[in-house]
Amino acid sequence: MSKIKILPEILSNKIAAGEVVERPASVVKELVENSLDANSTRIIIEVEKGGRSLIRISDNGIGMSHDDALLAIERYATSKIYTDSDLFSINTLGFRGEALPSIASVSCFVIETNDGNDEAGTRIDIKGGIIKKVSEIGAPRGTLIIVQHLFFNTPVRRKFLKTINTEMGHIADTVANIALGWPDVRFSLLHNGKKVKDWVAASDPGDRVADVLGKDIRNNLHRIVPHRTGGVSLSGWVASPQVTRSTSRGIYICVNGRCVRDRTVQHALFEGFAGRLMKGQFPMAVLFINVPADEVDVNVHPRKNEIRFLEGNKIHGVVAEAVSGALNLADRPVSPCFQEQDSEQHTAGKQDQEPGQPCVSESAPHFSASGKGHALPSEKESSQSVKNGIFQENRPSPAEQTTLWKKKQFGDLRVIGQFSGTYILCESEKELVLIDQHAAHERILFEQLKNRGSKGTSQRLLIPETIDVSYSEANLLEKLIPHFQETGLEIEPFGGNTFVVKSVPAILGHREIRPLIIEIAEKMAETGFNSGLEDAMDACLSLMACHGAIRANQQLSDEQIKQLLNQLEECENPFHCPHGRPLQIRWSLQSLEKSFKRIV
Ligand code: ADP
Ligand code: MG
């Protein structure tokens, strides 16, 4: 007897579900895509408990006849492709014919649909892939799909689900992503009966972009002049290089209406921004790319969020050129802005006002890897040494630290001046000392915040500032609110994903607060509380310190430098910025003399 057997259909559907349905957000993605393929203009997504207990999606699309509804839940049943060649010119979001049977195999599933031709609509009840009931119902034209108790029969997959808020965050991001590419469709998202977000139909795609990216950056968006080259067309928006993110979350790539991740396009975007971003920063952009259907392979990934371009180089060139063109145009004194090409809302060249300077200047002194030329000696008494151009820490033992401390490392330094507006040059009796002013001030502010030094020194904003973040960011931010309070940052939920900042720590009184809150929210979304609340708060404090600190290229008076050195002296760790990078370099007289070959 043969050992090999064809799997029963229910089992093969469950296996397919493993690929297609990773989490509740994947169900939402597949069902919303189906609604869009059915020409819907109104899609309502209702979710309970982050999609664990209920996902209910209704649309006003073309619906299905009784027979089609029964076919739709069969594996490999699709109305979107019929022949081999169709697979290579796909104009719809779906085509694999897998989603409905996969989802139905791992949930309690109901489909209600009416194509407007029959008098009655059709309802099919399925549990774990088994049809329980087929009935006639009265229903308007369109389709309603209800998915309950997702993964009830795949307990391991259910265990992998994250918290309700995390799953809901993924759902909200998914809908926002899709909504970007379909501005004329109205999407409503509800969670546990409450409205999360209503993306109203927009006649100008720019309105939808502003709606998804947040109203805050509206005036910092530059429209890409639509490009059309060899069948490829590109349009979209890029944000000013001053408005950046610390992750790629602000990059949206829509290819033929499908939101995808794509390395080629992302690389080209960075190339378009070349020379305008600091290391580690990500631009914000929304790119709509249309290519002939036979020049893109969408059948690369079961969840259909990756694609392959037939001519990647061509796309790369178009994107890079269009992005740099939009930014160059924006650099002109009267720059094109979000709504009107010739509006004056955006003024270029206010870079020095913006936060996001690197926490430690990149322009560290040059060290030759070979130890020759300008190489600095690695002296034992130094707290740093340099090997292959990389700082090595010679951490003193705790006993030594006490001795060092008593020696007065900073308070007694004599200030020589500032180098390049960025480094403080000082001397002690036997050392030349270079201090990174931004990193040093960051350290001081970080410790002050950490020791609640600014408690009571918060500054009330004359006009409270409202700030929008994404759904998942909002949840994390909310958890931190009581802890922010202790630092002097008074921030409150303001409904939906909006927060209102009422007071800021005094050290931030002279800075814009919005970019800091957005960076904190992003940082939290990126790292979460994986390594505990204290680490998460430390990350927030170090961002606050970074935003509040004096910048590179900022002239300081001798008095200000002296004050900085005295404050550094008070620090628990006066040698590193909060990110762990060195904030000072010391050369002993002896080592300098050796370098100048005065002694051997
Ligand atoms: P695919 O989208 O890849 O074709 P699905 O399993 O997602 O596969 O859907 C199967 C078929 O069911 C679709 O091809 C379509 O004909 C029909 N269908 C699914 N959802 C809807 C909907 N909301 N409105 C109308 N038809 C739908
Ligand atoms: Mg589908």
Short mmCIF file of all heavy atoms in Angstrom, two decimals, residues 120-141:
data_model
loop_
_atom_site.label_atom_id
_atom_site.label_comp_id
_atom_site.label_asym_id
_atom_site.label_seq_id
_atom_site.Cartn_x
_atom_site.Cartn_y
_atom_site.Cartn_z
N ALA A 120 -33.17 37.02 -3.44
CA ALA A 120 -32.64 36.76 -2.10
C ALA A 120 -31.11 36.74 -2.15
O ALA A 120 -30.51 36.46 -3.18
CB ALA A 120 -33.16 35.42 -1.60
N GLY A 121 -30.55 37.02 -1.01
CA GLY A 121 -29.10 36.88 -0.89
C GLY A 121 -28.78 35.50 -0.35
O GLY A 121 -29.68 34.70 -0.05
N THR A 122 -27.47 35.22 -0.19
CA THR A 122 -27.05 33.89 0.28
C THR A 122 -26.27 34.03 1.56
O THR A 122 -25.44 34.94 1.69
CB THR A 122 -26.13 33.23 -0.78
OG1 THR A 122 -26.80 33.27 -2.03
CG2 THR A 122 -25.76 31.80 -0.40
N ARG A 123 -26.55 33.12 2.50
CA ARG A 123 -25.73 33.07 3.72
C ARG A 123 -25.15 31.67 3.85
O ARG A 123 -25.86 30.67 3.71
CB ARG A 123 -26.59 33.42 4.94
CG ARG A 123 -25.79 33.26 6.24
CD ARG A 123 -26.59 33.66 7.46
NE ARG A 123 -25.89 33.18 8.65
CZ ARG A 123 -25.52 33.95 9.66
NH1 ARG A 123 -25.77 35.23 9.68
NH2 ARG A 123 -24.90 33.40 10.71
N ILE A 124 -23.83 31.62 4.12
CA ILE A 124 -23.19 30.32 4.33
C ILE A 124 -22.49 30.36 5.68
O ILE A 124 -21.73 31.29 5.96
CB ILE A 124 -22.15 30.00 3.22
CG1 ILE A 124 -22.78 30.15 1.84
CG2 ILE A 124 -21.58 28.60 3.40
CD1 ILE A 124 -21.79 30.06 0.69
N ASP A 125 -22.77 29.37 6.53
CA ASP A 125 -22.10 29.27 7.83
C ASP A 125 -21.10 28.13 7.77
O ASP A 125 -21.45 27.00 7.40
CB ASP A 125 -23.12 28.95 8.94
CG ASP A 125 -23.98 30.14 9.27
OD1 ASP A 125 -24.81 30.52 8.40
OD2 ASP A 125 -23.81 30.70 10.36
N ILE A 126 -19.86 28.42 8.16
CA ILE A 126 -18.80 27.41 8.10
C ILE A 126 -18.09 27.38 9.45
O ILE A 126 -17.87 28.44 10.07
CB ILE A 126 -17.76 27.75 7.00
CG1 ILE A 126 -18.47 27.89 5.64
CG2 ILE A 126 -16.66 26.71 6.91
CD1 ILE A 126 -17.59 28.42 4.53
N LYS A 127 -17.74 26.20 9.91
CA LYS A 127 -16.95 26.13 11.14
C LYS A 127 -15.74 25.24 10.90
O LYS A 127 -15.90 24.08 10.50
CB LYS A 127 -17.80 25.56 12.28
CG LYS A 127 -17.08 25.64 13.60
CD LYS A 127 -17.95 25.24 14.77
CE LYS A 127 -17.14 25.36 16.04
NZ LYS A 127 -17.81 24.82 17.20
N GLY A 128 -14.56 25.77 11.07
CA GLY A 128 -13.34 24.99 10.87
C GLY A 128 -13.30 24.35 9.49
O GLY A 128 -12.85 23.22 9.34
N GLY A 129 -13.80 25.05 8.49
CA GLY A 129 -13.73 24.55 7.11
C GLY A 129 -14.91 23.68 6.72
O GLY A 129 -15.01 23.27 5.56
N ILE A 130 -15.79 23.36 7.66
CA ILE A 130 -16.94 22.49 7.32
C ILE A 130 -18.20 23.33 7.18
O ILE A 130 -18.54 24.12 8.09
CB ILE A 130 -17.13 21.41 8.41
CG1 ILE A 130 -15.87 20.56 8.49
CG2 ILE A 130 -18.37 20.56 8.15
CD1 ILE A 130 -15.79 19.70 9.73
N ILE A 131 -18.86 23.19 6.04
CA ILE A 131 -20.09 23.97 5.83
C ILE A 131 -21.17 23.45 6.77
O ILE A 131 -21.49 22.26 6.80
CB ILE A 131 -20.57 23.87 4.37
CG1 ILE A 131 -19.51 24.47 3.43
CG2 ILE A 131 -21.90 24.59 4.19
CD1 ILE A 131 -19.90 24.51 1.97
N LYS A 132 -21.73 24.36 7.58
CA LYS A 132 -22.76 23.96 8.55
C LYS A 132 -24.16 24.25 8.02
O LYS A 132 -25.11 23.54 8.32
CB LYS A 132 -22.58 24.72 9.88
CG LYS A 132 -21.27 24.40 10.59
CD LYS A 132 -21.38 23.02 11.22
CE LYS A 132 -20.07 22.62 11.87
NZ LYS A 132 -20.00 21.20 12.20
N LYS A 133 -24.26 25.34 7.26
CA LYS A 133 -25.60 25.73 6.83
C LYS A 133 -25.52 26.66 5.62
O LYS A 133 -24.65 27.53 5.58
CB LYS A 133 -26.27 26.46 7.99
CG LYS A 133 -27.75 26.63 7.90
CD LYS A 133 -28.24 27.23 9.21
CE LYS A 133 -29.65 27.76 9.02
NZ LYS A 133 -30.01 28.66 10.10
N VAL A 134 -26.42 26.45 4.67
CA VAL A 134 -26.52 27.42 3.56
C VAL A 134 -27.96 27.90 3.55
O VAL A 134 -28.89 27.09 3.58
CB VAL A 134 -26.19 26.74 2.21
CG1 VAL A 134 -26.31 27.74 1.07
CG2 VAL A 134 -24.79 26.13 2.24
N SER A 135 -28.17 29.21 3.59
CA SER A 135 -29.55 29.69 3.65
C SER A 135 -29.76 30.91 2.76
O SER A 135 -28.80 31.57 2.37
CB SER A 135 -29.93 30.01 5.09
OG SER A 135 -28.87 30.69 5.73
N GLU A 136 -31.03 31.16 2.49
CA GLU A 136 -31.38 32.37 1.73
C GLU A 136 -31.65 33.47 2.74
O GLU A 136 -32.29 33.24 3.77
CB GLU A 136 -32.66 32.12 0.93
CG GLU A 136 -32.40 31.43 -0.37
CD GLU A 136 -33.65 31.45 -1.27
OE1 GLU A 136 -34.70 31.97 -0.83
OE2 GLU A 136 -33.56 30.93 -2.39
N ILE A 137 -31.19 34.67 2.44
CA ILE A 137 -31.45 35.78 3.37
C ILE A 137 -31.79 37.03 2.58
O ILE A 137 -31.48 37.14 1.39
CB ILE A 137 -30.21 36.13 4.24
CG1 ILE A 137 -28.96 36.26 3.34
CG2 ILE A 137 -30.01 35.13 5.34
CD1 ILE A 137 -27.93 37.16 3.91
N GLY A 138 -32.40 37.95 3.27
CA GLY A 138 -32.61 39.27 2.66
C GLY A 138 -31.35 40.07 2.93
O GLY A 138 -30.91 40.16 4.08
N ALA A 139 -30.71 40.58 1.89
CA ALA A 139 -29.47 41.35 2.11
C ALA A 139 -29.32 42.35 1.00
O ALA A 139 -29.72 42.09 -0.14
CB ALA A 139 -28.27 40.40 2.13
N PRO A 140 -28.75 43.53 1.30
CA PRO A 140 -28.51 44.51 0.23
C PRO A 140 -27.39 44.02 -0.68
O PRO A 140 -26.66 43.09 -0.31
CB PRO A 140 -28.07 45.76 0.99
CG PRO A 140 -27.49 45.24 2.27
CD PRO A 140 -28.22 43.97 2.59
N ARG A 141 -27.24 44.66 -1.84
CA ARG A 141 -26.13 44.26 -2.72
C ARG A 141 -24.81 44.50 -2.00
O ARG A 141 -24.62 45.52 -1.35
CB ARG A 141 -26.17 45.09 -4.01
CG ARG A 141 -25.27 44.47 -5.07
CD ARG A 141 -25.15 45.40 -6.27
NE ARG A 141 -24.00 46.29 -6.09
CZ ARG A 141 -23.18 46.64 -7.08
NH1 ARG A 141 -23.37 46.19 -8.29
NH2 ARG A 141 -22.19 47.46 -6.85
#
